[in-house]
Amino acid sequence: MIAGVDIGGTKIAVGMIDDHGRVLTQQQCPTDAAGGYDKALANIERMLRSTAQKVGVEITGIGIGSTGPVYPFEGEFGNVDFFPQWSGRKPVADLSHIFNVSVALENDADAAALGEAAWGAGRNKTRLIYVTVGTGIGVGVILDGKVYRGVDHAHPEIGHQVIEAAGPPCSCGLRGCWESLAAGPGLVAWLQRSAPADYPHRAGITAKRIFELARHGDELALRAVEHEACCLGIGLANLINIFVPDAILLGGSLMKSADLLMDGVRSIVAKGCRFVPSEKTEIALASLGDDTNLIGAARVWHSRFGA
Ligand SMILES: [Zn+2]
């Protein structure tokens, strides 16, 4: 049985995933970056043992998807924003030693893309792009079933494509990145910048709340959602103009409100991708749901060591 380990900024999830991409059982705990890597590793070991025991299986391989940057072939964490002091630690070697099985690591967006390509809406797509839109934007590109990598196996940072050159500054060094405008915090920031002083919903507003308000006809929230669809659509139109993929699959927390966004997105793509057969690029929702990352993590093992 292959185990998946999904390491995010706020939580770590582990689970047993069968060869059809079904989660048999799973468990999670807070990432607790400040508690240190050794404690997180002990938590992962404990959860792996208890989930395996719960369904009475033996772990024969482990796949890890982690928020990045990570070095997939060294099996090592890079300088990850959420847990900088874990940089240089090697979860692949450590878990391999503890469980005496083969272990593989990928960036979590690449992991999710692999999961969708094998077991989800991305099946039989030669050129597949998976985009997750939540607190950030993560993108995984799969060509002929394999993760597209840059030089030194680098994961391309497509969330940092610039869509508004004079936009808000981003930690990457540029301004107006796709992620800084179209991820959840960008949506919230736009509403807060645009709201009049007496706007009643400003305090503590979240992306989720903005979508709820839009559903109830709140005018400012509707404009925020329209701006969100525009930002999301420009980034996706760029991906279509550059890659002309068979499909782009969308996941992440903001896509729970995809029904409010997709008309705007499609109209930008139709307007902005006239020189490529963009009507042949399917834009659809990822199909593995809330477990996409965990299932994808398990798929990382199959992708590296499977038949
Ligand atoms: Zn950036």
Side-chain angles (χ1 to χ4, degrees):
M1 178 67 54
I2 303 306
V5 179
D6 170 35
I7 305 176
T10 56
K11 71 174 170 69
I12 297 174
V14 316
M16 298 298 130
I17 289 83
D18 74 11
D19 287 351
H20 303 283
R22 286 177 302 221
V23 180
L24 301 187
T25 177
Q26 63 173 296
Q27 200 178 336
Q28 50 180 262
C29 73
T31 303
D32 185 19
Y37 169 80
D38 292 326
K39 190 179 160 206
L41 184 67
N43 278 335
I44 291 169
E45 179 187 355
R46 176 180 49 79
M47 293 194 294
L48 283 170
R49 291 200 193 285
S50 85
T51 44
Q53 194 180 25
K54 199 169 165 195
V55 284
V57 297
E58 194 182 326
I59 295 171
T60 52
I62 300 171
I64 310 170
S66 173
T67 181
V70 298
Y71 301 106
F73 294 94
E74 289 79 9
E76 185 178 317
F77 291 119
N79 191 10
V80 180
D81 264 2
F82 298 105
F83 33 85
Q85 70 276 43
W86 300 10
S87 179
R89 301 306 297 264
K90 297 184 179 261
V92 166
D94 292 337
L95 288 175
S96 176
H97 177 74
I98 292 169
F99 288 93
N100 196 25
V101 295
S102 51
V103 182
L105 167 73
E106 293 285 1
N107 168 285
D108 53 0
D110 287 333
L114 283 169
E116 287 289 337
W119 294 317
R123 263 174 295 196
N124 306 318
K125 307 291 184 198
T126 308
R127 295 148 289 242
L128 174 72
I129 300 179
Y130 171 80
V131 179
T132 175
V133 190
T135 49
I137 292 186
V139 183
V141 179
I142 306 287
L143 300 176
D144 294 318
K146 294 200 166 64
V147 172
Y148 170 82
R149 304 179 199 277
V151 66
D152 275 350
H153 304 131
H155 169 78
E157 287 294 335
I158 292 174
H160 292 277
Q161 57 164 314
V162 173
I163 61 168
E164 194 185 314
C170 175
S171 57
C172 73
L174 292 169
R175 303 182 78 96
C177 293
W178 195 25
E179 171 170 282
S180 65
L181 289 162
L187 168 60
V188 170
W190 185 90
L191 183 129
Q192 283 176 334
R193 272 200 309 279
S194 312
D198 60 350
Y199 184 65
H201 309 291
R202 181 200 291 268
I205 197 156
T206 60
K208 188 174 172 216
R209 180 74 183 129
I210 293 173
F211 286 115
E212 280 166 14
L213 288 166
R215 280 186 206 286
H216 289 106
D218 181 277
E219 214 167 289
L220 185 66
L222 281 166
R223 273 172 51 218
V225 169
E226 194 183 328
H227 184 257
E228 170 65 27
C230 177
C231 294
L232 194 58
I234 292 171
L236 293 173
N238 287 341
L239 289 184
I240 293 172
N241 279 328
I242 293 168
F243 290 98
V244 206
D246 298 79
I248 296 180
L249 299 179
L250 302 168
S253 57
L254 264 68
M255 286 305 117
K256 293 195 178 1
S257 306
D259 60 314
L260 295 178
L261 297 168
M262 290 316 289
D263 285 351
V265 164
R266 286 185 205 286
S267 111
I268 296 216
V269 167
K271 237 188 284 179
C273 302
R274 289 170 43 231
F275 301 139
V276 295
S278 61
E279 70 284 355
K280 293 192 175 159
T281 295
E282 183 189 336
I283 304 177
L285 293 180
S287 64
L288 300 176
D290 291 340
D291 294 329
T292 302
N293 278 24
L294 185 58
I295 294 168
R299 188 65 206 178
V300 167
W301 183 91
H302 291 268
S303 167
R304 193 80 56 83
F305 301 114

